[in-house]
Amino acid sequence: MKWICWLCLLMLSGCQQPLTRNDAPARVTEAAADTSGGALRNLIDFSNRFQVHTRQDQLILCGAMRQSLSRDGDLWTGWYLATAISQVEGCGEPGEAITLINHLLEQRFVSRETGWLAYYQISLLQRQQRQRQQLSKAVAEQRRLEERLAQVAEAKRLLENQLRDLKHIETSINQRLDEKQQGTNPTVTKPAGATGR
């Protein structure tokens, strides 16, 4: 019997609407529609429409969102910009997108679903940041190896030239030795008709 009372009490307390403050700013109450999932649908819709544009148009939209964000300070515009940053190279840095999403998460009106999506997007952006760092390290390493390869190729070319010169010198020395041996070698017969006495 006690368990049923506690269960009913828990069920009733879970069904109640959260308390809202009457003095909340208009922007927060507009964004409170997020509890119905409207903000998530809008974000997904924005992402789908954004991907359809060409890269040039996407970069123009990024600039427009950045201007709107600095002018109006709308947190949702910040999240849209963060989504655009994660989709387009050159729109911004992942660190900037993480900051924008974290600023949104600091607000009280963010629903659980939106918070989950925001944290998931932050983890993806952090992964993107790590991948960019790994890529820049790999590119730097590739440049270093290419420089080293060029040095090795130059050293090889010099060694081949030196080897060719040494072979030429060796051939010249061998020819001189052969000529000397033919002139002083007792087994060499003189040509017929040559008189040595």
Side-chain angles (χ1 to χ4, degrees):
M1 186 67 164
K2 287 183 180 179
W3 290 102
I4 294 174
C5 289
W6 283 108
L7 185 62
C8 289
L9 182 62
L10 285 174
M11 289 175 63
L12 288 175
S13 65
C15 294
Q16 295 176 354
Q17 293 291 328
L19 298 175
T20 57
R21 295 178 54 184
N22 290 336
D23 60 344
R27 224 176 263 195
V28 172
T29 54
E30 289 171 10
D34 177 37
T35 56
S36 67
L40 291 178
R41 281 191 297 277
N42 290 341
L43 182 66
I44 292 168
D45 181 50
F46 164 79
S47 179
N48 290 333
R49 285 183 290 130
F50 186 76
Q51 289 177 353
V52 173
H53 291 283
T54 64
R55 185 175 190 281
Q56 179 83 16
D57 290 342
Q58 289 173 338
L59 292 175
I60 292 169
L61 286 170
C62 285
M65 283 187 287
R66 190 169 269 110
Q67 287 176 353
S68 174
L69 179 64
S70 65
R71 183 182 60 243
D72 302 333
D74 182 35
L75 298 173
W76 296 107
T77 302
W79 200 0
Y80 291 165
L81 179 59
T83 301
I85 288 171
S86 67
Q87 292 178 354
V88 178
E89 185 72 29
C91 185
E93 294 297 318
E96 176 189 7
I98 290 170
T99 302
L100 291 169
I101 295 172
N102 278 331
H103 187 63
L104 177 74
L105 287 172
E106 293 170 357
Q107 309 306 312
R108 289 189 333 215
F109 61 82
V110 176
S111 71
R112 284 185 197 156
E113 294 84 10
T114 303
W116 177 86
L117 182 61
Y119 284 117
Y120 182 72
Q121 189 170 5
I122 286 173
S123 70
L124 290 177
L125 287 163
Q126 288 170 337
R127 187 167 141 209
Q128 184 180 16
Q129 243 179 346
R130 285 189 303 272
Q131 287 175 340
R132 281 187 179 181
Q133 290 169 350
Q134 290 170 347
L135 179 63
S136 65
K137 285 179 184 178
V139 166
E141 180 68 14
Q142 180 181 1
R143 284 189 192 126
R144 188 186 69 75
L145 290 173
E146 285 173 351
E147 290 172 3
R148 180 71 180 127
L149 185 61
Q151 291 172 351
V152 167
E154 179 63 21
K156 178 185 174 195
R157 188 187 65 76
L158 289 173
L159 286 174
E160 286 173 346
N161 288 342
Q162 289 174 349
L163 183 61
R164 193 175 323 117
D165 292 343
L166 286 173
K167 283 185 179 181
H168 180 68
I169 292 170
E170 179 187 25
T171 303
S172 175
I173 290 172
N174 285 338
Q175 285 176 352
R176 287 183 188 162
L177 286 175
D178 287 345
E179 288 172 1
K180 271 188 175 181
Q181 282 182 349
Q182 284 178 356
T184 60
N185 193 346
T187 59
V188 174
T189 59
K190 291 186 180 178
T195 58
R197 294 184 197 198

